[in-house]
């Protein structure tokens, strides 16, 4: 059971759900379910983020709605065709937090030590890019790398969360590509400045295509990760090779700030981060979460004011 956000031909944002029987318009299904069960009372769901914020996002919710409707009517009119224009699953997060050096081999390939405690930094939400969107290489910044990451979406507000309770605060998972202006990052690190600008150019956070409820992937640590550029494998690992686990990361970050529903926690990248070039096709895949696919293009040089 995979959920996704998409844009209709009229430009409206809707929630879709992918099952073994195909893809369906869940927004419309939910409206019919509300009429049947609660006489129309209840929230309207046009955005996945709202489902997360109101604690309705789960595999159980999707199955209950679709199975209830199937018992009384066919769902053919809710079926979506293949020409879906995907949108970012969580389009307006308060925070996008990323973990650095959370795969031992990635730290070693850059000559860095594995940290004794998690290193986290931020990307700006304006960097978000949907599945099949175009990564734009800003002119004049030098090398730009891909970084495949598992993104954890927070499901409820919490502070000082113990690791033993961390799963209660997770809504689900999606795929992120933590695109990085590497030369700019190096210069900032050498000057002891934050990494923020090298991580936050527009289009530098492709995310999607799906948001999968955590109850659909109980063995997420075993999920295989692979990133390909033009069909050639560059990154390959499993989620379980992270230095700090998902519960440890949720707990650690929550000691420093309140986590809110819809916040995104990118959990680190495996070894094999390499430069992107205009014309590349990047495919970021995590088992159970689908394939996040993006083209790369060169940005235009801006004229002086």
């Amino acid at each position: 059971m995979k959920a996704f956000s998409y844009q209709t031909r009229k430009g409206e944002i809707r929630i879709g759900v992918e099952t073994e029987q195909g893809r369906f318009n869940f927004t419309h299904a939910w409206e019919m379910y509300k009429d049947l069960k609660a006489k129309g009372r209840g929230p309207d769901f046009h955005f996945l983020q709202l489902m997360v914020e109101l604690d309705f996002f789960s595999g159980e919710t999707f199955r209950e709605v679709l199975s209830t409707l199937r018992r009384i009517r066919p769902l053919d009119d809710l079926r979506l065709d293949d020409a879906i224009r995907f949108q970012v699953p969580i389009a307006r997060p308060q925070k996008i937090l990323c973990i650095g050096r959370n795969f031992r081999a990635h730290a070693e390939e850059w000559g860095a030590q594995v940290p004794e405690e998690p290193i986290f930094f931020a990307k700006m939400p304006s960097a978000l890019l949907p599945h099949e969107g175009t990564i734009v290489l800003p002119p004049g910044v030098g090398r730009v790398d891909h970084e495949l990451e598992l993104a954890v979406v927070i499901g409820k507000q919490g502070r000082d969360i113990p690791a033993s309770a961390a799963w209660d605060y997770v809504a689900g998972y999606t795929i992120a590509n933590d695109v990085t202006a590497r030369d700019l990052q190096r210069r900032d690190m050498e000057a002891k400045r934050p990494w923020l600008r090298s991580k936050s150019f527009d289009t530098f956070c492709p995310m999607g295509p799906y948001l999968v409820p955590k109850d659909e992937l109980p063995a997420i640590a075993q999920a295989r990760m692979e990133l390909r550029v033009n069909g050639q494998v560059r990154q390959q690992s499993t989620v379980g090779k992270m230095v700090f686990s998902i519960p440890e990361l949720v707990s650690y970050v929550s000691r420093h700030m309140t986590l809110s529903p819809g916040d995104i926690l990118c959990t680190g990248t495996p070894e094999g981060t390499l430069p992107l070039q205009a014309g590349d096709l990047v495919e970021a895949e995590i088992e159970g979460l689908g394939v996040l696919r993006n083209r790369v293009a060169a940005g235009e040089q801006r004229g002086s004011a």
Side-chain angles (χ1 to χ4, degrees), residues 116-243:
E116 295 182 1
E117 57 183 337
I119 299 171
F120 70 92
F121 55 92
K123 290 176 84 83
M124 291 296 100
S126 55
L128 285 167
L129 179 73
H131 173 64
E132 296 181 344
T134 300
I135 299 169
V136 178
L137 305 177
V141 303
R143 173 173 169 168
V144 174
D145 289 4
H146 56 74
E147 294 191 9
L148 166 64
E149 309 210 4
L150 171 71
V152 174
V153 176
I154 300 301
K156 65 179 181 180
Q157 185 169 300
R159 177 79 188 273
D160 294 321
I161 301 167
S164 59
W167 289 116
D168 295 338
Y169 293 80
V170 173
Y173 315 104
T174 186
I175 303 170
N177 185 353
D178 177 19
V179 180
T180 303
R182 190 68 73 196
D183 291 342
L184 187 59
Q185 183 191 34
R186 283 173 172 157
R187 293 201 300 270
D188 282 344
M189 291 175 70
E190 290 169 358
K192 302 188 185 305
R193 293 192 294 251
W195 305 351
L196 184 64
R197 61 176 182 161
S198 65
K199 296 284 188 175
S200 294
F201 286 98
D202 290 354
T203 76
F204 270 29
C205 193
M207 188 169 289
Y210 303 106
L211 179 60
V212 178
K214 68 176 179 186
D215 53 340
E216 295 294 296
L217 290 174
I220 187 64
Q222 299 173 22
R224 296 187 299 272
M225 307 172 69
E226 183 174 285
L227 184 137
R228 302 176 293 275
V229 176
N230 304 324
Q232 296 184 338
V233 176
R234 289 192 175 181
Q235 293 184 270
Q236 200 169 49
S237 189
T238 61
V239 172
K241 289 186 178 180
M242 294 191 302
V243 176

Side-chain angles (χ1 to χ4, degrees), residues 12-15 25-47 65-66 69 73 78:
E12 300 167 326
I13 303 300
R14 294 289 183 266
I15 297 172
N25 180 340
F26 183 78
T27 294
H28 193 189
W30 173 256
E31 290 168 350
M32 291 188 289
Y33 178 83
K34 281 198 309 176
D35 288 340
L36 181 68
K37 289 287 190 177
K39 296 182 174 58
R41 294 190 296 272
D44 293 327
F45 287 143
H46 299 292
F47 301 95
V65 171
L66 295 181
L69 293 181
R73 67 188 299 281
L78 300 179

Side-chain angles (χ1 to χ4, degrees), residues 53-98:
E53 291 173 349
L54 296 180
D55 199 23
F56 278 82
F57 184 78
S58 69
E60 182 179 353
T61 297
F62 290 112
R63 281 189 291 271
E64 161 67 16
V65 171
L66 295 181
S67 63
T68 297
L69 293 181
R70 280 196 182 100
R71 288 196 290 268
I72 61 174
R73 67 188 299 281
L75 301 184
D76 293 345
D77 58 325
L78 300 179
R79 193 176 296 274
L80 298 172
D81 60 28
D82 293 332
I84 293 174
R85 185 176 179 182
F86 283 88
Q87 299 297 302
V88 177
I90 300 294
R92 299 185 182 94
Q94 285 188 23
K95 300 182 282 295
I96 303 176
L97 303 172
C98 304

